[in-house]
Amino acid sequence: MTPQEEQLAKEASKLFSGRVEFLLSAPQLKHLPEPDYPEIAFCGRSNVGKSSLINALVQRKAIARTSVTPGRTQELNFFEVGDPTQFRLVDMPGYGFAKAPLKVVEKWRSLVQTFLRGRVPLKRTMLLVDSRHGLKDSDRDMMKMLDETAVGYRIVLTKADKIKASALDAVRAKVETEARKHPAAYPQLHVTSSEKGMGLEELRAAILSDIRD
Ligand code: GDP
């Protein structure tokens, strides 16, 4: 790490372990908060480990609620970080759930797409992908949607503790190859485990640098 990177990691760690508060839940765009602070959004398939990752990043047990029924939560949840507030984390509704009624899928798409396209303070999106599964077609659809917005995204592999190092390397290489074909995707992945704390320090620092970008 360079001295600048070390400084960034230190600041990020301090920020994420300080004030984090749930702000509001927006089931529709009219409920969005004022665009007062930079935002970082998190998206991924249902059950990818999104709530666990947000909780682990902010070192809280249950600020983001782990979903009981996959695909049930259809809101954008906003959290404020810092005292005074420095930025917001946006927990986006999961996708890819089997057997969801068309109406639910359409509502999801309209909410997510309109948010991503029009949200001025949105700095970056984190696309979470399960280490065991790699990219699924629903992730590819999401990447297409993200490519169409002006916002860059980082791909974050989750639950890395659940697979062997050799299998992880293979998935990582495959996802990286595909990511390179997407102009808005960062070519380098983040590999994380909320359970073991793997990759969290680096991701916090990356988020802080995104905020300051
Ligand atoms: P969400 O639906 O994307 O919010 O996913 P959750 O955070 O609710 O996680 C789904 C399931 O995966 C839960 O049973 C979690 O305990 C589990 N999980 C999440 N992250 C990890 C991880 O890093 N390692 C392991 N082993 N399990 C995880």
Side-chain angles (χ1 to χ4, degrees):
M1 262 204 252
T2 65
Q4 288 95 323
E5 283 169 341
E6 229 166 85
Q7 178 63 24
L8 187 72
K10 229 166 107 184
E11 283 177 44
S13 161
K14 197 168 160 210
L15 198 51
F16 277 88
S17 61
R19 174 182 167 264
V20 180
E21 236 169 78
F22 171 74
L23 178 66
L24 59 81
S25 199
Q28 290 168 300
L29 293 166
K30 64 178 182 199
H31 300 114
L32 290 182
E34 291 297 314
D36 296 335
Y37 300 100
E39 290 169 352
I40 300 286
F42 292 74
C43 66
R45 290 167 56 83
S46 295
N47 214 40
V48 70
K50 185 160 50 63
S51 321
S52 303
L53 183 70
I54 293 174
N55 289 330
L57 282 172
V58 302
Q59 301 167 59
R60 302 292 197 286
K61 277 222 166 67
I63 197 153
R65 266 177 301 155
T66 47
S67 42
V68 187
T69 314
R72 263 208 54 198
T73 40
Q74 287 284 311
E75 313 99 5
L76 299 160
N77 289 300
F78 289 78
F79 303 90
E80 289 195 338
V81 183
D83 188 12
T85 301
Q86 305 276 311
F87 61 91
R88 287 174 179 151
L89 300 177
V90 187
D91 184 2
M92 301 179 78
Y95 55 79
F97 35 91
K99 291 188 233 140
L102 193 61
K103 237 174 78 183
V104 173
V105 176
E106 273 167 6
K107 183 176 175 256
W108 175 89
R109 179 168 285 275
S110 145
L111 181 70
V112 168
Q113 197 164 42
T114 317
F115 176 77
L116 290 172
R117 282 185 179 163
R119 189 68 176 170
V120 175
L122 185 63
K123 287 282 195 177
R124 219 66 98 225
T125 301
M126 306 290 140
L127 171 65
L128 275 49
V129 175
D130 193 314
S131 293
R132 296 165 302 174
H133 306 144
L135 292 171
K136 301 263 193 185
D137 282 344
S138 52
D139 297 313
R140 297 188 175 99
D141 287 345
M142 187 75 221
M143 288 167 86
K144 257 187 235 156
M145 204 193 277
L146 287 166
D147 286 335
E148 287 162 12
T149 68
V151 182
Y153 56 100
R154 296 179 184 273
I155 300 177
V156 180
L157 296 185
T158 60
K159 309 188 192 179
D161 61 289
K162 282 208 164 190
I163 70 166
K164 282 199 207 134
S166 54
L168 180 61
D169 285 345
V171 171
R172 183 184 187 147
K174 221 171 142 189
V175 176
E176 268 175 353
T177 303
E178 219 172 311
R180 271 186 232 117
K181 295 179 194 145
H182 291 263
Y186 273 65
Q188 268 204 320
L189 307 191
H190 290 266
V191 179
T192 65
S193 161
S194 306
E195 195 109 334
K196 306 281 184 218
M198 183 201 291
L200 299 181
E201 196 184 338
E202 294 83 352
L203 188 56
R204 288 186 197 108
I207 289 173
L208 187 57
S209 88
D210 291 345
I211 295 292
R212 292 176 174 173
D213 212 10

